[in-house]
Amino acid sequence: MSAAVTAPSPPARRRLPLEIIGGWEVGLIIFLILLYLAGVYINPRFFGSSAALSSVMRDAARYGVMAVGMTFVIVNKDLDLSVGSLYGLTAAVFAVSFAPSYFNTDLYLAVAWALAVGLLVGLINGVLVTILRVPAFIATLTMLFIGRGIVTGMSGGKTISFMSKAGEHPEFFIIGQNNAWGFNNQVFVFAVFAVVGMVVLAKTTAGYQTFATGGNELASDYAGIATRRVRMRAYLISAFCATVAGMMQVAQDRALIAQSGQGLELIVIAAVVVGGASILGGRGRVLGSVLGVILIVLIDKVLREGYATTRTVLVDKIEMKVQAVAQLPPGAVPAFLGLILILAVLIEPWVIRRNAIGRLWAKIRGLPIPPAPDVGSVAIVGAQTRGSVVSDRAMNARGLGKFLARRDAAAIIIAVVLWFAGIYLRPDFWGSLDNSFNLILAFTEVALLSIGLTFVIANGDIDLSVGSVLAMSGAIAAFSMKTMGFGPWTSILLALCGGMLAGAVNAAVTVRFKLPAFVATLGMFYTARGVAAWIVSGRELFGFPESFNLIGRKLIEALRYFDIAPAPDSFLFSLSAALSVLSIFMIVLAIMTAIILGYTIWGQQVYATGGNIRAAAYAGIDTDRVRALGLVFSALCGSLAGVIYIAFYRSFIPTAGQFRELDAIASVIIGGGSIFGGFGTIIGSLAGAAVITLLRALLSLQVIRADGSSFVLSQHWVNVFIGLILILAVVGDIWLRQSAALGIILKSLFARRWRRSRA
């Protein structure tokens, strides 16, 4: 009797070990419900109506589409700071193409142009990061400034309307309209992108490759995953989503506003991180990002709509009850969102990875507390010292060759060439005392920021907040003198303390909590500028004491104020009439810091920390203290620049220092600093600041043509050139200084030619 043969059961279907929804998303949903109920309690007239939910979902729709693409980038352990500018750029391309007052093209051609530009920017981001090895935050930050400059340049800073022509194409512009259910049609576009994004990231091979690349890129390479292609794909997805969001905006407004997309990168990145994605890579879900967007928009609505109140006013001696709303001052919302970004980034490594809630619950119940795993860092830190070939060449060179081999030689030569270019273009204006004085004043502001950034970048860190710290410190000094009635010295001290506090926060988040410096300072970038606008309530302040304004005046005016001016026709009089107080201060600070960086123990510790942080730690250097001091000193320099700013202009406006972080970073890199750390000199950074200042002056110079007409470049386009210069400087540092690519190519060509001649 034979045993019954059973047929083998079919193998179980394998599923990717990824989820569409988890406990974090459930918690977000509960928190969203509680927050909305809080909004109903605070302002029942708005949040108690269906219009509030419709408004929240409409605004969240565009940001949500962008967050879908950003999720792929962040899970890859990359970053895309250009999405806000790309949102505005593609909307501007569509508007200029479609508007009757511009090119007046067909609707679908305008959409095609916008998509082409969007995908081109995504491709450029991907090439810069994956092939040219430019750090993601530098590549996309530069594209942010370039895109913003192109938007304002194309629009001329004005609104481009196409309201009348939009009526001819209801099939497209219906996207921005409300439907019979009371919701805007953008919500349906948002839903489609969210569902597709969830499925692709959680249930497809492409999603699995994304998680693998972000979790461990080296292991993914060994496993046969084309990680470079995966990261490139993420940037293209992010660019496509930002482009679609820009099209949703023009479909709703039927016009382009010059400020379109400004600051959206903060909302999108904060939403993705709040949604549970890790800035360290390898973790995140699209559903969490979507809920994070809705949460950020809802918080924004609650803060902006304010608290409903009833005021009593007196009209002709009759008391009348007036319904009003108590709102936060301008700047409070971006400051709060910047703080949310910092806190959200800290949640993943310090709450989730350390199992903080589980450990606390075990402690409350009296159970053994499980050990906290190591938080780790953004990546395993390896040796960072690069450019050894160039360094060896500089050490062995002699005479003029020794100077030419220096990393800062190019910046010095370029600055001299640019100065003579100005003499050639406008000899009647360029060499005048007034123009020279104005150039020195513009140079001083950038130079102060670049001096502080030299220490940070040589440490291997970055500080994106220096321009915002400039604005915040200027606001503190202006508010203290104008509103609080404090004296100049007290106000200056408060401004410097405020800036150093911002630097201390940057240092704590970067050094103590082990987060990348660009993330910590990006949060401070928005927080400090929001605080600046909050302090002055979005207003311009002026009318400071003359004893304070002397800081921004020529030296002769200060000497006259103290009745110690030299004789009118003397050499000292001419010298003091040419120099400014702030320039003298900058020169003294530059000399002191150059000595500290080049000839003291701390300066050598800075180079050692930036060159190889692990080797520096093994050598007994307190690398955490060195990095923290660098970030605090950078903020202090930003504070000094803020005080000088309001003293020179005798007023403060909330946009003070805008885009100055790009100028300062470009100055250090052009001056020989390396974005990877280990290099940088004060003289090089000052030469780089001179290059940036002279370029801005040349690009805004009124050039006289041969026929007597004149030409001047719009200031809107200047930041585009500065951004391009920064990218070229970084790429040149990576491939020419560090990798010696040009030498390798020339050596290969000569070797090939020699072999041919021998044959």
Side-chain angles (χ1 to χ4, degrees):
M1 185 176 179
S2 62
V5 179
T6 59
S9 58
R13 183 181 177 183
R14 297 184 62 185
R15 299 175 62 188
L16 293 174
L18 304 175
E19 299 175 344
I20 289 180
I21 186 171
W24 186 263
E25 286 75 19
V26 174
L28 282 176
I29 293 172
I30 295 173
F31 186 71
L32 276 169
I33 295 172
L34 294 176
L35 182 61
Y36 194 88
L37 293 176
V40 172
Y41 174 78
I42 294 172
N43 192 342
R45 281 183 296 176
F46 177 75
F47 287 99
S49 64
S50 60
L53 183 59
S54 176
S55 176
V56 169
M57 293 304 298
R58 180 199 63 204
D59 292 344
R62 295 189 297 275
Y63 309 152
V65 170
M66 297 167 70
V68 171
M70 183 66 73
T71 305
F72 284 82
V73 175
I74 290 182
V75 171
N76 262 339
K77 201 161 61 178
D78 285 322
L79 198 68
D80 189 355
L81 297 176
S82 68
V83 289
S85 290
L86 184 55
Y87 172 100
L89 176 61
T90 52
V93 170
F94 175 87
V96 170
S97 301
F98 184 70
S101 56
Y102 286 81
F103 290 99
N104 195 25
T105 62
D106 179 69
L107 169 70
Y108 298 104
L109 182 59
V111 172
W113 273 114
L115 286 171
V117 170
L119 292 175
L120 176 62
V121 172
L123 181 63
I124 293 173
N125 283 336
V127 169
L128 288 173
V129 174
T130 62
I131 298 177
L132 298 181
R133 302 203 302 267
V134 178
F137 70 92
I138 283 290
T140 57
L141 174 70
T142 307
M143 293 306 298
L144 182 156
F145 286 112
I146 292 175
R148 180 56 48 200
I150 294 175
V151 171
T152 52
M154 291 175 65
S155 64
K158 302 176 183 178
T159 298
I160 301 177
S161 177
F162 37 85
M163 187 73 67
S164 58
K165 189 177 178 181
E168 303 172 5
H169 300 278
E171 72 278 10
F172 174 77
F173 289 95
I174 195 174
I175 295 173
Q177 298 176 2
N178 290 346
N179 50 48
W181 293 284
F183 285 92
N184 195 282
N185 289 322
Q186 295 176 76
V187 177
F188 293 108
V189 179
F190 175 29
V192 170
F193 271 77
V195 171
V196 173
M198 283 188 284
V199 173
V200 170
L201 187 60
K203 299 299 179 183
T204 66
T205 302
Y208 185 82
Q209 292 172 341
T210 301
F211 280 102
T213 300
N216 192 323
E217 185 175 359
L218 184 61
S220 300
D221 280 327
Y222 289 152
I225 296 175
T227 56
R228 183 178 294 180
R229 186 175 63 189
V230 171
R231 297 171 67 196
M232 180 87 71
R233 180 175 61 202
Y235 278 109
L236 288 172
I237 293 173
S238 178
F240 176 72
C241 291
T243 302
V244 172
M247 296 300 95
M248 293 164 67
Q249 185 262 320
V250 294
Q252 173 186 292
D253 298 341
R254 303 189 178 195
L256 169 78
I257 302 173
Q259 293 75 31
S260 178
Q262 191 166 348
L264 290 192
E265 58 280 340
L266 169 66
I267 296 175
V268 175
I269 294 172
V272 174
V273 176
V274 168
S278 172
I279 204 74
L280 310 179
R283 177 188 173 91
R285 284 186 284 259
V286 170
L287 179 59
S289 301
V290 167
L291 294 174
V293 165
I294 299 173
L295 176 61
I296 294 293
V297 172
L298 184 56
I299 291 174
D300 180 78
K301 290 289 184 183
V302 171
L303 293 176
R304 290 187 190 275
E305 292 299 326
Y307 181 75
T309 61
T310 302
R311 297 173 55 191
T312 302
V313 297
L314 196 64
V315 180
D316 293 333
K317 299 182 180 181
I318 300 175
E319 292 186 352
M320 300 182 62
K321 301 289 185 181
V322 178
Q323 299 293 328
V325 176
Q327 293 178 311
L328 292 173
V333 174
F336 190 75
L337 291 179
L339 183 62
I340 287 177
L341 174 61
I342 295 176
L343 294 177
V345 171
L346 291 174
I347 287 175
E348 201 277 335
W350 289 91
V351 176
I352 297 177
R353 290 199 181 191
R354 280 180 169 255
N355 191 24
I357 298 177
R359 296 175 71 237
L360 177 62
W361 182 240
K363 185 176 181 180
I364 293 174
R365 297 171 60 191
L367 300 175
I369 301 176
D374 184 23
V375 176
S377 62
V378 67
I380 297 176
V381 180
Q384 294 174 306
T385 302
R386 305 186 182 199
S388 57
V389 174
V390 179
S391 301
D392 292 342
R393 190 180 302 141
M395 293 178 62
N396 298 325
R398 294 291 183 271
L400 181 62
K402 190 173 184 63
F403 168 74
L404 295 176
R406 288 172 56 98
R407 293 174 62 94
D408 51 17
I412 297 173
I413 295 172
I414 293 172
V416 173
V417 170
L418 290 176
W419 172 264
F420 282 106
I423 291 288
Y424 173 78
L425 293 172
R426 284 294 304 273
D428 59 323
F429 167 76
W430 189 262
S432 66
L433 187 61
D434 289 338
N435 180 60
S436 299
F437 178 67
N438 292 331
L439 285 175
I440 291 173
L441 291 175
F443 165 75
T444 300
E445 184 181 336
V446 181
L448 283 173
L449 298 178
S450 63
I451 287 173
L453 266 175
T454 303
F455 286 81
V456 174
I457 292 178
N459 268 332
D461 290 321
I462 197 71
D463 187 355
L464 304 179
S465 66
V466 287
S468 299
V469 170
L470 182 155
M472 185 182 71
S473 300
I476 292 173
F479 183 81
S480 299
M481 288 184 289
K482 184 65 178 178
T483 305
M484 302 300 294
F486 295 156
W489 288 109
T490 303
S491 301
I492 292 173
L493 180 61
L494 290 174
L496 297 182
C497 290
M500 292 179 68
L501 177 61
V505 172
N506 287 338
V509 177
T510 301
V511 177
R512 175 67 180 87
F513 295 104
K514 309 295 183 185
L515 291 179
F518 71 86
V519 175
T521 57
L522 176 65
M524 187 58 67
F525 172 90
Y526 293 100
T527 301
R529 187 160 296 280
V531 169
W534 191 347
I535 290 173
V536 300
S537 299
R539 299 175 291 114
E540 180 181 359
L541 294 182
F542 53 88
F544 310 133
E546 187 59 26
S547 58
F548 173 80
N549 292 333
L550 288 174
I551 299 174
R553 309 268 67 82
K554 292 184 180 181
L555 179 60
I556 189 63
E557 297 182 39
L559 296 177
R560 284 172 177 167
Y561 182 83
F562 292 105
D563 293 327
I564 54 174
D569 294 328
S570 64
F571 171 75
L572 291 178
F573 181 89
S574 301
L575 182 64
S576 57
L579 293 175
S580 62
V581 176
L582 54 90
S583 297
I584 295 173
F585 172 78
M586 184 272 298
I587 292 170
V588 172
L589 180 64
I591 293 173
M592 292 173 56
T593 52
I595 294 173
I596 291 172
L597 187 59
Y599 299 99
T600 66
I601 294 176
W602 183 38
Q604 299 309 306
Q605 289 176 343
V606 168
Y607 288 127
T609 300
N612 191 322
I613 191 170
R614 254 196 292 181
Y618 289 151
I621 297 175
D622 188 349
T623 56
D624 286 349
R625 182 175 64 88
V626 172
R627 295 174 63 203
L629 287 175
L631 288 166
V632 172
F633 179 67
S634 176
L636 176 61
C637 290
S639 301
L640 292 170
V643 171
I644 287 174
Y645 176 92
I646 65 172
F648 171 67
Y649 290 104
R650 303 189 185 190
S651 65
F652 172 79
I653 54 175
T655 56
Q658 201 166 38
F659 301 137
R660 282 307 194 192
E661 49 280 324
L662 181 69
D663 288 352
I665 294 171
S667 299
V668 178
I669 302 302
I670 292 171
S674 172
I675 204 67
F676 299 102
F679 296 100
T681 62
I682 298 299
I683 184 64
S685 297
L686 293 180
V691 170
I692 296 298
T693 304
L694 291 171
L695 275 172
R696 284 191 175 275
L698 285 172
L699 292 174
S700 59
L701 187 65
Q702 186 177 19
V703 179
I704 307 299
R705 296 191 178 102
D707 59 359
S709 62
S710 62
F711 168 78
V712 60
L713 183 69
S714 172
Q715 283 295 302
H716 298 308
W717 296 97
V718 172
N719 286 322
V720 176
F721 287 95
I722 301 298
L724 290 173
I725 290 169
L726 176 57
I727 280 292
L728 291 176
V730 173
V731 172
D733 174 60
I734 294 172
W735 290 96
L736 299 182
R737 288 173 176 163
Q738 298 176 15
S739 301
L742 182 60
I744 294 173
I745 293 173
L746 292 176
K747 185 177 180 180
S748 175
L749 290 176
F750 283 127
R752 189 179 303 172
R753 184 176 298 177
W754 182 81
R755 285 195 297 268
R756 287 177 180 175
S757 63
R758 295 280 294 179

